Amino acid sequence: MCGISVIIAKSSEFLPDKQALERMMAVQSHRGPDGSGKVFLDWGEEKIWLGHQLLAISEIKEKAAQPFVSADGASGIVFNGQIFNHQTLRTELESQGHTFETESDTETLLVWLRQYGRKGLRKLVGMYAFVYWDSDKQLLIIHRDGYGIKPLYYARNRHFLVFSSEPAGLFASGIFTPVPDFTSIGYYLKYKFVPQNKSPWLGLKQVLPGEAIEYWESKPLHYQVAFESTDKANSLSEAIHKAFKDVIPVKEKIGLMLSGGIDSSLILKWCLDHKIDLVPFSIRYRFETSLSADEKAVEFLEKSLGIQVCWVDVDWTEMSTLSDRSSGHEALIADSAMFLTKKIAEAARNAGIRVLLSGAGADEWFAGYRRHWFFHQWNHYQRFVPGLLREKMMQALRVGKMKWMEMPDGGSLADIWDASVASRLGSVLQNPVQLPLPANPADESVLAKALLWDQKHYLVQDILTLTDQATMAFGVEGRFPFLHPAVTGFADGISPENRLAKGRKWMLRSEVEKWAGKDFVNRRKLGFGLPYGQYLSSPDGQNLMKETFLLLDEKLSGFWKELQWSHFQKEALANPDEFAQECLALIRLAAWLKNQ
């Protein structure tokens, strides 16, 4: 909900130009339209500039102004996000004799860190990225929440270390030049996003979810923070109530991205039951498309719950502009949900709403994707299938997208998982890449690892990143009620197999079925995205694809396996609806490369 800009000069011999911080703040002004502030720290040999763009949600602007500095001037913070348990932390601090000048969680966080330092990080519940400083110790602590909701990027060289809420801020400093990292682009083409430990640009990185960086004497120390949860819910409904009560604001009108699915419907019903001043926003296509079926589900909610939905219209002509909406300084994501989220964020901002709720995270913790159900079924039945028959079954799987995947006949579940999350473009790359299943010490089953893969990679680098980019483009904050330790901790206490015992996301479905009925919860949801294949089948879409292929042949010469790339182009042009996801990735990449 804010923008962070930090420049650290490691030596007084090499300093940034006088306007560097101002440029970083200006390029991120959309993240904080309600004010800005900056501070300079002279730590002798080291010089530090910190800037902040403010998006005020509920606190009076003057009280929440940042950088927030302690009364004695010795410590301070630039902070993006919300600490949901700040009242609990404040009560503990007050019992020790601390007093406060504001109601802001920013002040609570500052005093908490000054009191407990790195040990205090384990008790924070919220969505956040911040930079805290202590001039007496000449210490910086940089930290990002464990879910990866709030972004924080950084780059460094021999003379500077720079942090920013967006990549554009790093490049605006004038200290770093954007140079594409083609290995990372390979990951993007295969998975439609760049993994969190990589970046589309050489030398640019992210503070990882849950990572803390302590900086002193020009030496950064990186470590992961293990969150200590004390709230254990005894039931799903209790977990949902605890989480939603913490995450959802009650003092101002808020918005909800209502897709007609289980997750956003659960949020809607909770808000109605608790008299939250809520405006549901939903997408309506002004042309014929199969995705219009989701509109019927929203219309059902509108009638049965007696609500008024704010419909956001999408016109056919807007499909043609999608290729032009890729800034050269944005994270690479091939997901048309970015466009729709921007449309809703713009509508929310025009309605005076600054917080948008999203159901993201529910699928990743409650096993909501079809691939989760497939692995649940496969894991069960493959135990009883002889090896030779299993190889025959593997061969039978090689249809559609899967026939492009390079899987051994006796492929492991890890091989099948990689094929299920990869695009056809993975098999066209000259240098293959793979994002393997992560280790899961709590449960080494493939299904447990698969859920963790989605939590660590797809959720963070696709859904959360695109939501941040899309909402903050209009000075609106995205919030995620399911991404709270009360809910995720409850889910983690149930084995992945039991989370799928009665079907995908059955526990959440059962909660909605109580008031919406079986027909609503059992319908097939079509997904939040554009019917891009329809556009690519049109003459304009075909021309755009041909132009994209020509540009990528020029820009990425030697990047492809020549025969496979030629075959891919022919297949994609002949069957654009089937290849829509890959074509979207290529079209956005071409626009991104043009804007470098």
Side-chain angles (χ1 to χ4, degrees):
M1 65 190 204
C2 298
I4 293 173
S5 303
V6 179
I7 300 175
I8 303 170
K10 302 177 186 179
S11 168
S12 57
E13 294 182 22
F14 297 92
L15 301 177
D17 69 76
K18 293 181 180 180
Q19 300 302 315
L21 185 69
E22 283 74 8
R23 290 194 302 271
M24 292 180 68
M25 295 170 64
V27 81
Q28 298 185 94
S29 60
H30 54 275
R31 299 188 68 91
D34 297 319
S36 63
K38 55 187 177 181
V39 69
F40 170 68
L41 304 177
D42 189 343
W43 287 359
E45 186 68 10
E46 293 177 314
K47 317 293 181 185
I48 302 173
W49 294 259
L50 301 104
H52 187 265
Q53 301 293 143
L54 173 67
L55 173 61
I57 301 299
S58 59
E59 183 73 10
I60 298 173
K61 295 180 187 179
E62 290 74 15
K63 290 185 177 181
Q66 295 185 45
F68 197 99
V69 183
S70 62
D72 63 5
S75 60
I77 195 167
V78 285
F79 170 45
N80 173 22
Q82 185 81 26
I83 304 299
F84 299 136
N85 66 334
H86 91 96
Q87 289 292 354
T88 301
L89 304 181
R90 178 171 288 211
T91 299
E92 180 177 332
L93 291 168
E94 287 175 334
S95 70
Q96 299 171 7
H98 292 282
T99 59
F100 295 86
E101 297 296 323
T102 76
E103 296 299 318
S104 169
D105 61 337
T106 304
E107 184 181 12
T108 304
L109 179 58
L110 173 61
V111 177
W112 181 261
L113 293 173
R114 193 167 184 179
Q115 177 74 18
Y116 293 107
R118 70 163 66 167
K119 293 181 180 179
L121 301 178
R122 296 178 293 186
K123 296 290 183 67
L124 301 179
V125 178
M127 52 178 200
Y128 52 79
F130 61 77
V131 179
Y132 162 82
W133 75 86
D134 184 325
S135 290
D136 291 338
K137 298 178 182 177
Q138 295 201 352
L139 168 69
L140 292 173
I141 297 178
I142 301 99
H143 185 38
R144 183 185 182 193
D145 70 79
Y147 297 107
I149 299 173
K150 291 300 179 182
L152 193 58
Y153 297 85
Y154 69 96
R156 61 186 170 198
N157 57 27
R158 292 177 58 192
H159 307 299
F160 298 100
L161 175 59
V162 182
F163 292 88
S164 176
S165 295
E166 295 183 359
L170 298 176
F171 302 133
S173 71
I175 296 171
F176 303 99
T177 301
V179 178
D181 181 345
F182 291 105
T183 299
S184 293
I185 289 173
Y187 280 98
Y188 158 77
L189 290 170
K190 182 172 181 178
Y191 299 109
K192 79 176 184 177
F193 57 81
V194 177
Q196 59 183 245
N197 60 341
K198 299 183 184 298
S199 159
W201 302 276
L202 292 171
L204 188 150
K205 297 183 179 180
Q206 293 184 62
V207 178
L208 301 178
E211 182 179 25
I213 303 173
E214 288 188 13
Y215 180 88
W216 72 100
E217 296 181 354
S218 302
K219 297 177 182 178
L221 170 67
H222 298 248
Y223 57 89
Q224 284 293 122
V225 175
F227 173 70
E228 294 180 357
S229 177
T230 57
D231 295 317
K232 298 292 183 181
N234 296 313
S235 67
L236 176 58
S237 58
E238 181 185 335
I240 286 174
H241 179 70
K242 165 66 177 171
F244 287 20
K245 181 170 63 69
D246 278 359
V247 176
I248 298 174
V250 298
K251 295 182 180 180
E252 56 275 324
K253 182 183 290 188
I254 58 175
L256 167 67
M257 291 185 277
L258 183 62
S259 65
I262 297 298
D263 315 323
S264 58
S265 298
L266 255 177
I267 297 172
L268 172 67
K269 187 63 164 59
W270 188 92
C271 288
L272 293 176
D273 289 346
H274 292 84
K275 306 294 190 295
I276 304 296
D277 191 0
L278 180 77
V279 178
F281 293 86
S282 196
I283 293 293
R284 178 169 54 193
Y285 298 101
R286 305 306 296 175
F287 53 93
E288 191 65 32
T289 170
S290 60
L291 293 183
S292 299
D294 282 344
E295 295 175 30
K296 304 298 183 185
V298 175
E299 289 171 356
F300 166 80
L301 294 172
E302 193 172 31
K303 293 177 182 177
S304 62
L305 297 177
I307 61 173
Q308 184 174 353
V309 172
C310 180
W311 292 97
V312 179
D313 292 339
V314 176
D315 191 84
W316 176 260
T317 58
E318 293 179 298
M319 302 278 281
S320 63
T321 67
L322 186 59
S323 62
D324 300 324
R325 297 172 182 262
S326 180
S327 163
H329 292 165
E330 283 185 346
L332 269 176
I333 306 170
D335 193 332
S336 61
M338 169 82 79
F339 172 78
L340 299 180
T341 307
K342 281 185 175 180
K343 292 278 292 184
I344 290 177
E346 183 178 22
R349 185 66 184 189
N350 290 338
I353 290 172
R354 299 198 169 199
V355 174
L356 268 176
L357 303 179
S358 163
D363 285 308
E364 288 76 14
W365 262 271
F366 289 93
Y369 297 128
R370 283 191 285 274
R371 56 182 176 261
H372 298 153
W373 178 248
F374 170 82
F375 272 83
H376 169 71
Q377 295 289 85
W378 180 271
N379 199 34
H380 177 72
Y381 289 113
Q382 61 110 15
R383 304 173 196 167
F384 309 103
V385 177
L388 184 60
L389 181 56
R390 196 179 307 136
E391 289 187 14
K392 295 290 185 183
M393 292 173 70
M394 285 287 295
Q395 292 172 8
L397 282 173
R398 296 174 183 274
V399 295
K401 186 187 78 166
M402 300 291 271
K403 71 182 180 182
W404 290 75
M405 303 302 140
E406 297 178 355
M407 293 187 298
D409 287 339
S412 67
L413 287 174
D415 293 324
I416 303 174
W417 172 261
D418 191 59
S420 72
V421 294
S423 78
R424 298 171 179 85
L425 290 167
S427 62
V428 181
L429 301 174
Q430 188 71 256
N431 297 309
V433 295
Q434 185 167 353
L435 192 53
L437 287 167
N440 187 346
D443 186 341
E444 280 296 314
S445 71
V446 172
L447 184 55
K449 293 177 180 179
L451 288 173
L452 191 58
W453 192 98
D454 276 322
Q455 293 164 17
K456 288 172 61 70
H457 299 302
Y458 177 62
L459 174 65
V460 177
Q461 294 304 100
D462 187 310
I463 299 173
L464 296 180
T465 300
L466 80 79
T467 303
D468 180 81
Q469 285 185 189
T471 57
M472 294 307 296
F474 297 96
V476 175
E477 175 181 290
R479 289 201 183 182
F480 310 90
F482 288 102
L483 293 180
H484 183 286
V487 171
T488 59
F490 177 83
D492 286 337
I494 301 168
S495 73
E497 293 293 340
N498 284 337
R499 282 179 246 179
L500 285 158
K502 300 178 184 178
R504 291 184 292 128
K505 215 160 45 178
W506 71 268
M507 287 180 282
L508 298 182
R509 289 175 182 272
S510 65
E511 291 292 317
V512 177
E513 186 180 333
K514 294 174 184 177
W515 52 268
K518 287 186 177 181
D519 288 343
F520 180 83
V521 299
N522 290 331
R523 78 177 188 89
R524 182 183 179 186
K525 189 172 182 301
L526 299 174
F528 187 62
L530 287 172
Y532 204 48
Q534 280 183 254
Y535 171 70
L536 295 177
S537 300
S538 71
D540 287 344
Q542 290 279 295
N543 288 333
L544 177 59
M545 289 170 62
K546 292 174 183 177
E547 291 170 5
T548 297
F549 293 146
L550 286 173
L551 186 143
L552 293 178
D553 282 337
E554 175 190 341
K555 295 278 188 180
L556 298 177
S557 176
F559 196 69
W560 319 97
K561 295 176 182 175
E562 189 172 336
L563 290 177
Q564 288 88 335
W565 176 232
S566 176
H567 178 56
F568 173 90
Q569 293 184 52
K570 292 176 182 177
E571 288 284 315
L573 286 168
N575 305 287
D577 199 48
E578 183 182 343
F579 285 74
Q581 181 60 62
E582 287 86 359
C583 289
L584 174 61
L586 293 169
I587 289 166
R588 289 191 63 81
L589 175 61
W592 186 85
L593 287 170
K594 281 196 295 186
N595 291 323
Q596 289 302 302

